[in-house]
């Protein structure tokens, strides 16, 4: 983990700060969707991964505080970024249709998270941010494997990647935690 007291407020470029704000709310989106889907379906995978997403939110919050950036995260299910609000609403609607749909929503969120983390990591030269993003991407890989294996185990259905290329997806699900 990164010690936020070693970070220097005001040293980030606008793009880096925007990346942190986006990732804070994207990790919150994952947590909030998983909490809602756990309430609906009672599938323990959602609660376990929601707890992990809270840890991710905390890691990004440490960075925000260390760089002197105001936290955008509000109450559960509400987002200051309208794109994330729309995505949240869409994912809740999809995940409410069936347990299989809910597990596919979980896997899709992790795919989106992986791609966004890679993109944001490439936009910064701050070691502290890169370290956190790499750790979060690792966890998202684990979560993607968890959702897809639970989908197969509970429904017999094989997940088809929606955002990652087939090769990227296979590289992730074919590896171990």
């Amino acid at each position: 983990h990164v010690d936020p007291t070693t970070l220097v407020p005001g040293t980030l470029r606008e793009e880096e700060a925007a990346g942190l704000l986006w990732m804070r709310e994207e990790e919150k989106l994952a947590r909030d969707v998983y909490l809602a889907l756990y309430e609906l379906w009672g599938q323990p995978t959602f609660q376990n991964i929601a707890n992990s997403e809270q840890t991710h939110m905390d890691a990004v919050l440490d960075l925000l505080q260390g760089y002197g950036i105001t936290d955008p995260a509000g109450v559960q299910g509400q987002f200051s970024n309208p794109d994330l609000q729309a995505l949240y609403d869409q994912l809740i609607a999809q995940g409410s249709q069936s347990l299989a749909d809910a597990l596919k929503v979980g896997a899709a969120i992790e795919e989106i998270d992986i791609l966004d983390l890679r993109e944001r990591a490439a936009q910064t030269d701050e070691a502290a941010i890169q370290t956190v993003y790499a750790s979060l991407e690792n966890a998202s890989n684990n979560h993607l494997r968890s959702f897809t294996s639970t989908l197969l185990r509970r429904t017999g259905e094989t997940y088809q990647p929606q955002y990652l290329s087939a090769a990227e997806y296979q590289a992730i699900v074919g590896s171990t935690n």
Side-chain angles (χ1 to χ4, degrees):
H1 262 108
V2 174
D3 176 2
T5 62
T6 64
L7 307 178
V8 182
T11 58
L12 294 184
R13 294 186 325 276
E14 194 172 316
E15 181 179 52
E16 292 167 314
L20 285 175
L21 292 167
W22 177 268
M23 292 315 305
R24 170 75 170 154
E25 281 209 305
E26 187 171 290
E27 297 298 331
K28 178 184 179 307
L29 176 136
R31 184 204 63 186
D32 291 359
V33 168
Y34 300 159
L35 288 172
L37 294 178
Y38 175 72
E39 286 290 312
L40 191 58
W41 301 108
Q43 172 64 43
T45 306
F46 289 113
Q47 188 169 45
N48 295 340
I49 297 178
N51 292 339
S52 180
E53 298 298 347
Q54 181 62 59
T55 304
H56 300 176
M57 288 177 63
D58 295 345
V60 178
L61 180 60
D62 285 348
L63 290 171
L64 288 173
Q65 290 172 338
Y67 289 111
I69 300 168
T70 302
D71 181 19
V75 300
Q76 186 174 329
Q78 293 182 8
F79 301 86
S80 58
N81 184 300
D83 294 335
L84 288 172
Q85 185 67 59
L87 181 59
Y88 172 84
D89 296 340
Q90 172 196 335
L91 293 170
I92 291 294
Q94 287 174 347
S96 297
Q97 295 173 29
S98 70
L99 177 59
D101 286 317
L103 292 165
K104 289 177 200 172
V105 160
I109 288 171
E110 297 304 333
E111 283 188 79
I112 293 167
D113 212 14
I114 289 164
L115 291 171
D116 284 348
L117 285 161
R118 289 176 183 172
E119 179 185 344
R120 302 300 181 176
Q123 294 171 350
T124 185
D125 51 11
E126 290 284 318
I129 296 174
Q130 289 176 336
T131 298
V132 169
Y133 285 176
S135 172
L136 297 184
E137 184 181 340
N138 231 6
S140 286
N141 290 341
N142 292 339
H143 298 164
L144 179 59
R145 282 191 288 275
S146 182
F147 280 123
T148 58
S149 66
T150 302
L151 176 68
L152 183 60
R153 193 173 64 251
R154 292 293 309 271
T155 71
E157 198 174 332
T158 300
Y159 182 74
Q160 299 301 316
Q162 301 174 61
Y163 299 95
L164 293 167
S165 72
E168 288 173 309
Y169 173 74
Q170 277 308 335
I172 292 168
V173 296
S175 64
T176 56
N177 289 356

